[in-house]
Amino acid sequence: MDTPAATPLPADDPQRHRIVIVGGGAGGLELAARLGRRLPPGGPVELLLIDAALTHVWKPQLHELAAGTLGGPDQETDYLQQARRHGFRFHLGRVESMDRAARRLWLAPLVDDQGHTVAPRRAVAYDTVVIAVGSVVNDFGTPGVREHAVALDTAEDARRFHRRLLATWARNELQHGGAGATAPVNVAIVGGGATGVELAAELMESTAAMAGFLPHMSRAEGGEGDRGARLPVRIHLLEAGERLLSALPADVAEQARADLVRRGVVVRTGVKVTAVTDTQVMLGDEAVPADLTVWAAGIRGPELLKQLDGLALSRSGQLLVGPTLQTTLDPRVLAIGDCASCPQPPGQSTVPPRAQAAHQQAQLLAEALPGFVRGEPLPAFRYDDRGSLVSLGRRHAVGQVHTPAPGPQSGRGWRLEGLLARWAYWGLQRQHMVTLHGLPRTALATLGGWLTARTMPPVKLH
Ligand SMILES: Cc1cc2nc3c(=O)[nH]c(=O)nc-3n(C[C@H](O)[C@H](O)[C@H](O)COP(=O)(O)OP(=O)(O)OC[C@H]3O[C@@H](n4cnc5c(N)ncnc54)[C@H](O)[C@@H]3O)c2cc1C
């Protein structure tokens, strides 16, 4: 199949079992950090993490990055620093295919900003590989989405959205010549799941803060009685289903809807987007104005998964794995997180694509992989649904949390809302940081971030 194009990666000690993790996201980086700490330096196992980027941003915070409210220590984590701290190696590159017979992963050439090739196409050997490359949004083939809509798949997507928001504002201001009020920026968010709801709420808050720095924005034109129209941004949240947040109880979803409407978001459910253009979102014959469109309507497996030497995929393009997280056709290839379609006990759907699932799978493999390398079987993964919290800006969240499950069923559920829910949501973000940085560093970084925030604008203005 693949022919070697250039030097394979060095430091390939044939005496050591090489575990390669592809993707340093919510699941992959936690696995690398936890496993790296467990493996003795220079021992029989070598651990390598590969990611297409040099830094990690926790994906559940991408809506904050897009809205310009993510700052301080939360923004980015260096893979190289993590590698040194936790005792694994890091390799920058995008995996593009796999040769299972030769146990090789193939990486695309690494090209810099000027288009110069920094590293050629190259191969990385593995004995065990864990695929943790996440997911991408599913556009269901809707015309115009690829060309005109932004997806929040990566940190770069979120930054691009933020830059376009500021550029659209600047354009509106120039078009009005500074005289009178400036038209609000029209944003259409397609998909009323957690991503769409959290982004809508965060944008309403962040753009209100931005408007304080851009005088014409806070006087945007609008019709009488239309609160959203007087704000610097007009958001349409469009959902095909009958209600928002279909994965959460109906009363939680209703609370989130009422909160968004109160803030001025136009929430429409039961509407199907048929096309996206550069200025509009089409609902059949009806056009919704959209200077910017965010597509957040469901996920699917990334294209890479089709290039993994024939490994079986689910209907949504995720890798089919068994209860032990090993792919169904190759026990040396495992998958965790959004890219894995993992079964649950009969009568339940597959493990949901959530950060908490990726976290629990990483925890399990960090414990079990040292034994697996010695020839022991892997234990079965059991997802413990600890509930869901949906952030509605800086001071509010809604959701349900579950106590730990005593048996195969989820534990008891508790409704949370308001500031308490927001603190619980913040606590979940800190847990991820504690895994990567340890408690003392996380506490210091949080304090440092809090102090830095006193001297900075509350929202990113560039
Ligand atoms: C705005 C938003 C809010 C969310 N909120 C929540 C929430 O509140 N709670 C919750 O549980 N979940 C939430 N989620 C879902 C959650 O983010 C994902 O379920 C989780 O990040 C999946 O983790 P992962 O490790 O599978 O993939 P990711 O975290 O997406 O990481 C994938 C990694 O793989 C790398 N990669 C991809 N392709 C390649 C390649 N070819 N070669 C090398 N590296 C590659 C990427 O650079 C990335 O680092 C949210 C998602 C979004 C977008």
Side-chain angles (χ1 to χ4, degrees):
M1 64 169 327
D2 291 304
T3 49
T7 14
L9 276 185
D12 204 349
D13 181 348
Q15 304 305 314
R16 301 177 79 196
H17 184 106
R18 188 178 251 210
I19 299 178
V20 178
I21 302 167
V22 183
L29 182 55
E30 282 203 15
L31 173 59
R34 287 172 185 274
L35 187 56
R37 289 198 293 266
R38 288 176 67 92
L39 297 172
V45 180
E46 185 183 353
L47 180 61
L48 176 75
L49 172 70
I50 301 175
D51 199 282
L54 272 171
T55 55
H56 160 83
V57 176
W58 197 47
K59 200 171 180 184
Q61 291 183 302
L62 287 189
H63 64 287
E64 296 174 39
L65 196 60
T69 49
L70 189 67
D74 291 341
Q75 265 205 349
E76 283 169 292
T77 298
D78 287 300
Y79 286 119
L80 288 168
Q81 185 207 34
Q82 285 291 305
R84 195 175 122 172
R85 194 169 279 167
H86 301 294
F88 60 87
R89 288 178 57 221
F90 173 71
H91 186 83
L92 174 66
R94 179 170 292 281
V95 172
E96 61 175 15
S97 64
M98 177 189 248
D99 180 345
R100 291 194 286 123
R103 285 193 233 147
R104 289 267 189 276
L105 293 159
W106 284 90
L107 278 68
L110 198 58
V111 179
D112 70 12
D113 290 346
Q114 276 80 43
H116 301 137
T117 300
V118 179
R121 187 163 186 269
R122 58 215 181 277
V124 172
Y126 68 83
D127 297 296
T128 301
V129 61
V130 182
I131 308 291
V133 293
S135 57
V136 293
V137 294
N138 196 345
D139 65 14
F140 304 101
T142 312
V145 175
R146 202 169 285 186
E147 298 84 346
H148 303 297
V150 178
L152 291 190
D153 286 337
T154 65
E156 192 41 43
D157 293 335
R159 289 191 196 98
R160 192 177 323 123
F161 172 84
H162 185 70
R163 288 194 298 270
R164 282 181 59 185
L165 177 68
L166 292 176
T168 310
W169 245 346
R171 186 199 65 193
N172 285 6
E173 180 143 343
L174 284 172
Q175 279 175 356
H176 281 70
T182 304
V185 175
N186 287 303
V187 178
I189 301 174
V190 184
T195 302
V197 168
E198 290 187 337
L199 178 65
E202 199 77 19
L203 275 177
M204 290 310 279
E205 274 191 18
S206 72
T207 52
M210 281 178 200
F213 296 88
L214 302 160
H216 299 295
M217 292 304 158
S218 49
R219 294 188 280 117
E221 287 164 350
E224 286 277 326
D226 182 353
R227 187 166 185 275
R230 290 200 305 274
L231 293 166
V233 66
R234 187 184 291 146
I235 298 177
H236 284 85
L237 180 60
L238 308 168
E239 164 59 40
E242 286 310 307
R243 66 170 172 93
L244 300 180
L245 300 172
S246 59
L248 284 169
D251 53 341
V252 174
E254 176 48 32
Q255 223 180 342
R257 190 198 64 79
D259 187 272
L260 291 177
V261 170
R262 189 180 53 75
R263 288 162 189 252
V265 176
V266 180
V267 178
R268 294 185 60 183
T269 51
V271 290
K272 188 165 184 294
V273 172
T274 49
V276 177
T277 73
D278 58 344
T279 55
Q280 292 172 330
V281 165
M282 302 305 299
L283 309 173
D285 294 337
E286 182 189 348
V288 174
D291 299 306
L292 286 170
T293 301
V294 180
W295 193 267
I299 60 131
R300 64 172 175 81
E303 286 299 303
L304 164 69
L305 304 183
K306 294 180 187 159
Q307 309 303 324
L308 299 186
D309 212 353
L311 289 177
L313 300 180
S314 70
R315 276 201 350 216
S316 54
Q318 297 158 296
L319 284 171
L320 287 180
V321 300
T324 58
L325 304 175
Q326 290 164 294
T327 50
T328 49
L329 299 182
D330 191 336
R332 287 176 182 278
V333 183
L334 290 78
I336 61 170
D338 285 7
C339 70
S341 173
C342 178
Q344 294 211 74
Q348 294 182 39
S349 55
T350 53
V351 173
R354 308 267 298 280
Q356 60 169 321
H359 160 78
Q360 291 174 20
Q361 290 171 336
Q363 243 176 343
L364 180 93
L365 287 190
E367 299 261 322
L369 279 178
F372 178 67
V373 166
R374 293 192 300 268
E376 295 165 17
L378 286 167
F381 172 72
R382 185 172 67 81
Y383 176 55
D384 181 9
D385 184 355
R386 305 298 297 274
S388 291
L389 289 168
V390 177
S391 158
L392 295 169
R394 302 276 96 185
R395 291 192 173 73
H396 192 37
V398 290
Q400 193 169 40
V401 291
H402 296 156
T403 52
Q409 302 301 321
S410 290
R412 188 168 165 209
W414 304 86
R415 278 282 306 281
L416 279 189
E417 60 179 87
L419 198 53
L420 184 63
R422 191 60 178 83
W423 282 344
Y425 182 87
W426 182 81
L428 295 176
Q429 294 174 350
R430 293 303 103 171
Q431 263 179 22
H432 177 67
M433 277 189 81
V434 170
T435 305
L436 303 184
H437 303 289
L439 188 57
R441 281 197 186 93
T442 302
L444 270 180
T446 304
L447 178 64
W450 185 82
L451 289 173
T452 310
R454 309 298 102 190
T455 62
M456 308 284 281
V459 64
K460 198 164 183 280
L461 297 168
H462 60 276

